[in-house]
Amino acid sequence: MTIEAVLFDADGVIQEPTVDWQATLATFLRPDQSADEFVLDLMTSEGPSLAGKGDFRDAVADVLARWEVTTPLAEVLSLWEQFAAVPEAIDVVQELRAAGVPCHLATNQQAYRREIMNDRRNYGQWFDRSFYSCDLGVAKPEPAYFKTILTAIDQAPTSVLFIDDNARNVDGAREAGLHAEVFHLSSGVPVLRGLLHGYGLPIATDGPEQGQ
């Protein structure tokens, strides 16, 4: 088995929220309203825009109207900006690339968040290529998402490893023929290093040596 490229998910793998966004969303509601149902409504409304269908901002506005939320749309949308890349995780990506292993971003995002990640924060500098679901017109866990990427990078599925924090997405990748593993940042970046090392990839299991 030779892994010739690695696909990394974004949320939960290389970046994490900087606020408790679900708790914040709950503050926008009346006491008699269910925060869990509100969050579910928002997540469901996001679905079409992840595949490039419809405008995420319009979808959120419709949810706020349905729940009679008076908080301005811009304030609600700002929660989707409250995240940050984890330097130790980015170091892993750069270490692999420096060793000659192509690394690609493979993430479900709507255009609003893609603009933040790709255009404002220049995530593309950390990866050989970036694949956002809203651009591909299909989202994980659909096997078609992964097959589109394989065609773009011209790799056989058995030569590619995919890392994601969502088991359903990992199952979709495996259905498409890729090697795939579940990892979440809460496990610690050393676990990610060990996982990659287990696939024979040129990565230090304890991080870069001091002074390098």
Side-chain angles (χ1 to χ4, degrees):
M1 177 185 64
T2 301
I3 299 299
E4 298 181 2
V6 183
L7 307 180
F8 289 90
D9 176 42
D11 296 296
V13 175
I14 65 156
Q15 68 185 22
E16 58 188 0
T18 54
V19 298
D20 186 338
W21 61 274
Q22 292 195 12
T24 303
L25 285 171
T27 66
F28 301 152
L29 300 175
R30 300 190 309 266
D32 63 305
Q33 293 176 308
S34 168
D36 289 343
E37 292 181 9
F38 178 56
V39 171
L40 178 60
D41 199 1
L42 280 169
M43 295 303 98
T44 301
S45 74
E46 185 181 35
S49 60
L50 293 178
K53 301 175 177 64
D55 189 296
F56 173 64
R57 292 165 295 187
D58 292 341
V60 172
D62 289 343
V63 173
L64 298 184
R66 188 157 57 245
W67 284 78
E68 301 178 336
V69 171
T70 59
T71 305
L73 175 62
E75 183 176 339
V76 176
L77 288 174
S78 70
L79 287 177
W80 272 260
E81 303 180 27
Q82 307 304 314
F83 63 91
V86 174
E88 294 81 5
I90 300 302
D91 285 345
V92 169
V93 177
Q94 300 318 299
E95 193 173 328
L96 287 174
R97 294 180 70 202
V101 180
C103 295
H104 310 290
L105 182 65
T107 180
N108 278 358
Q109 304 291 342
Q110 18 76 5
Y112 177 80
R113 205 150 185 257
R114 186 274 315 274
E115 189 270 335
I116 298 168
M117 294 170 63
N118 191 68
D119 301 344
R120 294 193 221 166
R121 303 189 186 180
N122 197 22
Y123 270 42
Q125 67 182 313
W126 298 323
F127 297 92
D128 291 274
R129 297 189 65 175
S130 299
F131 297 98
Y132 293 89
S133 60
C134 61
D135 295 329
L136 301 186
V138 62
K140 299 179 283 186
E142 292 297 323
Y145 173 88
F146 301 100
K147 292 177 182 179
T148 300
I149 293 176
L150 291 173
T151 298
I153 65 176
D154 193 23
Q155 291 284 353
T158 53
S159 69
V160 177
L161 173 63
F162 171 62
I163 308 294
D164 198 290
D165 66 318
N166 186 310
R168 291 182 64 243
N169 294 340
V170 166
D171 289 342
R174 288 174 177 167
E175 186 177 340
L178 287 75
H179 298 281
E181 298 290 342
V182 175
F183 165 77
H184 192 278
L185 281 165
S186 60
S187 300
V189 173
V191 171
L192 175 61
R193 287 181 169 276
L195 187 158
L196 295 166
H197 182 76
Y199 275 87
L201 288 160
I203 190 82
T205 56
D206 55 355
E209 293 182 13
Q210 294 297 319
Q212 293 190 344

